[in-house]
Each structure stands twice: as C-alpha cells, then as structure tokens.
Amino acid sequence: MRIWGIHMGAHVASAPIENNYVAIGWPNFGDLTAVKPNRDAFKNQLAQTYPQINSGAIPVKAGVLFRFANEIKEGDLVIYPSKNDRMVNVGCFDGSYQYIEGDSSGYPNQRGVKWLGSYPRDEFAQAALNEIGSAVTLFTVRRYAQDFLEKVGFAEDAKNIAGEMDTIEESEDDQTATDEVSRQAEVTTHDFIIRALKNQLSPYDFEHFVAHIMECMGYTARVTQASADGGVDVIAHKDELGFEPPIIKVQCKQITGKSSEPEANQLLGTLGDGEFALFVNLGSYSRSARVLERNRAKLRLIDGEQLVEIILDNYHKLSPRYRTLMPLRQIYVPDFV
C-alpha cells in the first residue's frame, strides 16, 4: 500500500468529496490509457500536445500523468488538501482510472475514492502540512505518513508503509522547485496566522480581534455583551455614534471546521432595517450556507483564507498586541503566474 498526495484547483470546490473521486487535468492530452505505459512515451506525448511547456519541466509533468494512470492501485491511500475549505481529506482508492471527456471542471482524468475522513489543517503538525504542500500535482507521502494514517485508524500499517513505497521521483526543474518554495511560504503563513488566532486567543478575545480588524478597515466597532446577544458578537458602523446605516452585525466563530446554514440564518434573523450580517470564522462554510449567501444580499461569509488576506492587507495598522501575536515581516518571492 502506498500513500499518495494530490492537489486540485480550488474551483472544483467540494465536488471530489461529494462525488467520491480525485482527478488531474491536462484535458488536451486525452485518455491516458491510450499512451504506451512507459515514461518516455508520456514525455513525448506531453511535449507534442503542450509545446509551450519548458523542456526542463516535461519529466515532472509527464511523470504525474504516468503515475496517475499506471502506478496507483486499488487499496492505496490518498491525501487531498482541499483549497476551498482548508480541510485535509484522507481516502482509499477503490476504482480504476477513468477518462471523463468534457469534464466541466477541466479534470477529465479521474479515479474513484472512498473518503475515510476530513480534518481541519490545524489538527496536523506544520511539518506534515509542508509535506503535502508539494508543488507537484501528484506525489507520494513518506516522512509524515503516520500523522495522516493515525487519523483514519491505520496506525499499525503506518510503521511499514515508508519502506514499501518506491523511491522513483522525477527531479524538479528549477522553475517548479522555486515555485514550490514561494507557494509554501504563502501557505505556511496562512497556517501560522490561523493557528495563532485559534490557540492564543479565547473566544471572547477573538471577538475583540475581529472588532479591531474592522476598525483597521475604517469602521467603528464594539463588542456586545457576552450573553443574550442573539448571535451578534460585534456591531460595526461607519459613523462614530452608530446611527447611520449601514449597521453591520457580526458573528464570530473561532472554529477551523465548517459553519452551517442554520447558524448563518440565525444571524440574519437579528437584522432590522438598514442592517447587514457578517459571519466570520477560521474555517469554511457548508455548501448550503454559501448558497444562502448568494441568495441573501445582506449576508457576507468570511472564511479563514479570506480573513487572513484581510489581516495581511491591514497588518501595518494592527495594534502592537496583535502584531506580537502574529509576528510577520514582508518579503518578496518569485511569482511565475
């Protein structure tokens, strides 16, 4: 049994989890089983199909396609860190390779997966998260395999897996290696900020932080009483006295899991004329909650990734207390995109 890691774009959202599959792109390449099952054949086909790809990157990218079609076996495990909700999903391959022509997400190369569990990123050590943060789309997980296997009851198997996995990995070209370092710096920073907000603040302190970040954005904000607030933790407004609309009622959830539609609906129920609802958490939201947001103009849902971006945009305005909580310094990294 091998442990694979795979990345898919954030645009696939929850489809792989709901429909029990993982996939890779390269739609113009066609059915992977139509290519001779050897690496040179995949390299030649990739170079012909995508002539714009740097020659140094061909071995790595062709290796991903070859391994997805020919080396993954039923019973192997897969770890998929989903970008849209900051969850680490662990599953078991239970189907053969399929080519889904015309897949709407641009991921026609698919394999069936039985999902065993989904876990917030903060439940894993940062070193383990770094290993599954590879810039390569498909890779093997070795060093921190046990961290993920223990979550789904494979603790005994973890002791032997590292020795069973092959060591064949194509060398990364310079651009891929540099891009991985740049992207990993960004992901690690996001993990660091969310861990600090989750572990070093009480729920009530987190409410005060959300009020502070809104003040950094130009609002006047106050935290409500700790009880009988009807789900409203912070009230924000543009004028100092708070009489002029819009009035923003904020609910703060210091969780890294998913908030549900009923929770968002409860906040909407507190609104009066000229008032808007803002829900803030460190994790993500259920699909039904996002549908509610799209259908209700007065509701805005801010997840962990969006909150981090707001913090980074306003970091220079944060009070010394919060800059000490989240010590950061600005650097420039290569951006090939």
Side-chain angles (χ1 to χ4, degrees):
M1 178 172 63
R2 298 175 182 173
I3 305 177
W4 302 87
I6 193 166
H7 294 299
M8 291 178 275
H11 69 281
V12 303
S14 58
I17 306 302
E18 295 174 358
N19 299 311
N20 300 303
Y21 74 90
V22 294
I24 58 175
W26 306 99
N28 295 337
F29 195 94
D31 190 333
L32 302 183
T33 59
V35 182
K36 291 182 179 180
N38 66 72
R39 290 173 180 268
D40 287 338
F42 273 77
K43 292 175 186 177
N44 293 334
Q45 179 72 17
L46 185 65
Q48 293 175 17
T49 308
Y50 296 93
Q52 71 275 20
I53 296 178
N54 185 292
S55 59
I58 290 291
V60 174
K61 299 183 185 302
V64 166
L65 295 165
F66 172 80
R67 303 188 88 185
F68 192 82
N70 298 287
E71 292 191 353
I72 294 174
K73 306 298 180 186
E74 189 170 339
D76 286 354
L77 298 182
V78 61
I79 299 170
Y80 162 48
S82 47
K83 296 181 176 67
N84 69 300
D85 58 8
R86 290 185 56 82
M87 300 293 281
V88 176
N89 309 283
V90 184
C92 178
F93 285 106
D94 66 353
S96 57
Y97 165 82
Q98 295 184 75
Y99 179 71
I100 312 298
E101 188 170 2
D103 176 71
S104 59
S105 64
Y107 282 73
N109 302 291
Q110 301 185 4
R111 279 185 174 273
V113 172
K114 176 183 178 182
W115 295 108
L116 305 175
S118 298
Y119 310 93
R121 289 178 63 89
D122 67 310
E123 293 188 12
F124 299 93
Q126 189 61 52
L129 295 176
N130 289 345
E131 183 174 12
I132 62 171
S134 170
V136 180
T137 302
L138 180 71
F139 52 95
T140 50
V141 179
R142 296 187 177 89
R143 188 173 181 184
Y144 293 94
Q146 186 166 352
D147 292 50
F148 303 101
L149 296 180
E150 286 179 346
K151 284 286 189 181
V152 291
F154 282 79
E156 291 300 317
D157 302 85
K159 299 175 183 177
N160 302 317
I161 284 177
E164 295 176 359
M165 288 192 293
D166 66 274
T167 58
I168 299 176
E169 295 280 1
E170 299 286 358
S171 299
E172 296 178 347
D173 64 290
D174 288 346
Q175 179 169 323
T176 300
T178 302
D179 183 59
E180 178 169 0
V181 172
S182 301
R183 194 171 60 85
Q184 194 62 62
E186 180 179 358
V187 173
T188 301
T189 299
H190 282 225
D191 288 335
F192 169 75
I193 292 174
I194 289 177
R195 283 183 195 274
L197 295 175
K198 176 70 163 55
N199 298 329
Q200 298 185 47
L201 294 178
S202 70
Y204 192 57
D205 288 337
F206 179 64
E207 295 171 8
H208 279 274
F209 172 76
V210 172
H212 179 68
I213 199 70
M214 294 197 72
E215 289 175 341
C216 292
M217 297 170 67
Y219 293 91
T220 298
R222 59 183 173 86
V223 176
T224 65
Q225 295 296 320
S227 61
D229 58 15
V232 178
D233 301 312
V234 176
I235 296 178
H237 36 82
K238 280 293 188 178
D239 68 303
E240 292 186 5
L241 295 178
F243 289 118
E244 298 178 9
I247 307 299
I248 302 174
K249 290 184 174 179
V250 189
Q251 185 167 4
C252 308
K253 289 288 186 181
Q254 194 187 24
I255 63 170
T256 52
K258 292 187 177 183
S259 295
S260 64
E261 177 190 358
E263 293 174 291
N265 250 327
Q266 179 188 18
L267 181 60
L268 281 170
T270 68
L271 299 185
D273 293 339
E275 296 181 342
F276 293 80
L278 177 64
F279 201 115
V280 180
N281 74 13
L282 297 176
S284 58
Y285 296 89
S286 67
R287 171 179 282 191
S288 58
R290 286 298 188 186
V291 171
L292 180 66
E293 179 189 28
R294 289 196 295 271
N295 293 330
R296 300 295 294 273
K298 289 191 171 186
L299 174 65
R300 183 79 168 88
L301 306 179
I302 299 294
D303 60 26
E305 287 293 302
Q306 295 166 317
L307 179 59
V308 169
E309 292 299 332
I310 293 171
I311 291 169
L312 294 177
D313 288 342
N314 293 276
Y315 187 77
H316 62 290
K317 300 178 185 177
L318 292 183
S319 71
R321 175 194 175 189
Y322 294 121
R323 289 202 300 270
T324 301
L325 177 74
M326 301 173 290
L328 303 173
R329 64 184 175 90
Q330 188 174 28
I331 61 171
Y332 291 97
V333 295
D335 183 5
F336 294 110
V337 175

